[in-house]
Amino acid sequence: MGEVTALPNQFENLIRLGKVALNQRRWPEAIAPLEAAYELQQTTVLNLLLVSVLVAAGDNRHALQLAFEKKAFYTNEPDLRLLYNALLIDNQHFIAANELWATVEATDVFEQQTKQKGQETLRTAEKAYQVAEKQTIKKRQERLYNLTTGDFQDQQQRLDEAELLPLADYLQGVLPILVNPYSHPFVKTTVLETLVRLRYSKAVTINWFEQVREVVPGELELMANRPILKLIQKTIQNILAQQDPIILEAALAECQMTFAYLYPFEETVIDNPEEWGQALIQQLGLSMFEPTVQISEKTIQWLKKLQELTEELVF
């Protein structure tokens, strides 16, 4: 949100107005002053109050958008997870709801009970959706089956739509993408990272650069946490720390993109993260940079191949 200049006591007065309407169960009248107060101070307490009022007013879409701004607040508290779960379900974000419970480590009885209740609510909602929305499910799965017929933006949109499917239907739609030799590696990584967040415990088959491989997503780290990627990023940051921030940002973005194509088998390609980081900088064509390590022909050829994959994407 943009910066808003508050008048003296304006925040307190807006909260007071909102609570007066709230106590009288006049939800629409409570929303306006509370939203104005939230523009001034985006606190977690006010976020929860405003989300609760929006839910009472039946505006679950706006409530979820607002709760997402403080996602960690809702997902780290056992009692608030149920509220967040309900908002996800009401907005048909079934995959996000599954991810929520997949990441919860229930360490005590209360958390175990909360997790069980949340998962039961989710399963019931998914089953009801499967009965009521058979045609919608079929249409979205067909769009996934024909994923490669669209440009990159269209493919990303189809993957976003797929996350509105119940888990079983989502898996049925996306797993074939991983073995399709014509699916772009970036798209495959997008799917795979979702499976990692879901802690999917079964082995999946991936067609990776004309090699057929198997991996268990639940045993993988997310791409951002991979040690090799962190080492490459550190190399780039160390070398370009004194350069224009835009150059550093471009180099890190290039690093992220090329690494995404290789994940999760990057170790078979990247022998030396220092060399790889310097090769990426060299690829940007910076006249003032000379590598301090020898760039192997293997690295040069792989970067060329990955650059061609980037050029295939139509944003």
Side-chain angles (χ1 to χ4, degrees), residues 94-228:
F94 296 118
I95 298 307
N98 277 281
E99 289 178 6
L100 168 65
W101 299 114
T103 58
V104 170
E105 300 290 343
T107 56
D108 57 43
V109 174
F110 179 64
E111 285 198 341
Q112 290 170 358
Q113 292 174 339
T114 301
K115 182 173 183 177
Q116 182 178 355
K117 183 177 180 181
Q119 288 177 314
E120 288 174 353
T121 302
L122 175 57
R123 293 287 89 79
T124 299
E126 286 185 322
K127 289 177 182 178
Y129 185 86
Q130 287 171 322
V131 172
E133 300 292 343
K134 290 181 179 179
Q135 289 305 311
T136 300
I137 292 172
K138 181 180 178 182
K139 182 178 178 181
R140 286 178 177 157
Q141 287 182 326
E142 286 175 351
R143 281 170 58 78
L144 290 174
Y145 183 78
N146 298 307
L147 188 69
T148 57
T149 61
D151 61 25
F152 180 70
Q153 282 188 325
D154 180 64
Q155 291 182 42
Q156 290 297 112
Q157 182 181 348
R158 296 187 198 191
L159 290 177
D160 289 343
E161 290 175 355
E163 295 201 6
L164 303 178
L165 290 170
L167 179 59
D169 302 299
Y170 174 81
L171 294 173
Q172 185 179 343
V174 301
L175 291 180
I177 294 171
L178 297 177
V179 296
N180 186 343
Y182 301 106
S183 295
H184 196 280
F186 189 86
V187 172
K188 291 179 181 178
T189 293
T190 300
V191 172
L192 184 58
E193 285 216 290
T194 301
L195 298 178
V196 173
R197 289 191 296 271
L198 287 167
R199 302 289 197 271
Y200 188 64
S201 59
K202 295 181 181 179
V204 299
T205 303
I206 304 177
N207 189 305
W208 184 85
F209 292 99
E210 300 180 354
Q211 300 175 34
V212 177
R213 293 172 173 249
E214 278 198 350
V215 69
V216 178
E219 297 176 356
L220 293 174
E221 299 167 302
L222 288 169
M223 191 178 78
N225 298 328
R226 302 288 278 192
I228 290 180

Side-chain angles (χ1 to χ4, degrees), residues 34 61 67 84 110 122 160 168 173 190 197 299 307 315:
L34 292 178
R61 183 186 63 81
Y84 194 65
F110 179 64
L122 175 57
D160 289 343
T190 300
R197 289 191 296 271
T299 296
Q307 182 62 34
F315 289 92

Side-chain angles (χ1 to χ4, degrees), residues 25 55 115:
R25 305 177 71 82
V55 170
K115 182 173 183 177

Side-chain angles (χ1 to χ4, degrees), residues 68-81:
F68 188 76
E69 293 180 11
K70 305 288 184 183
K71 182 180 176 181
F73 172 64
Y74 289 90
T75 58
N76 290 336
E77 294 292 332
D79 49 346
L80 292 181
R81 285 182 196 133

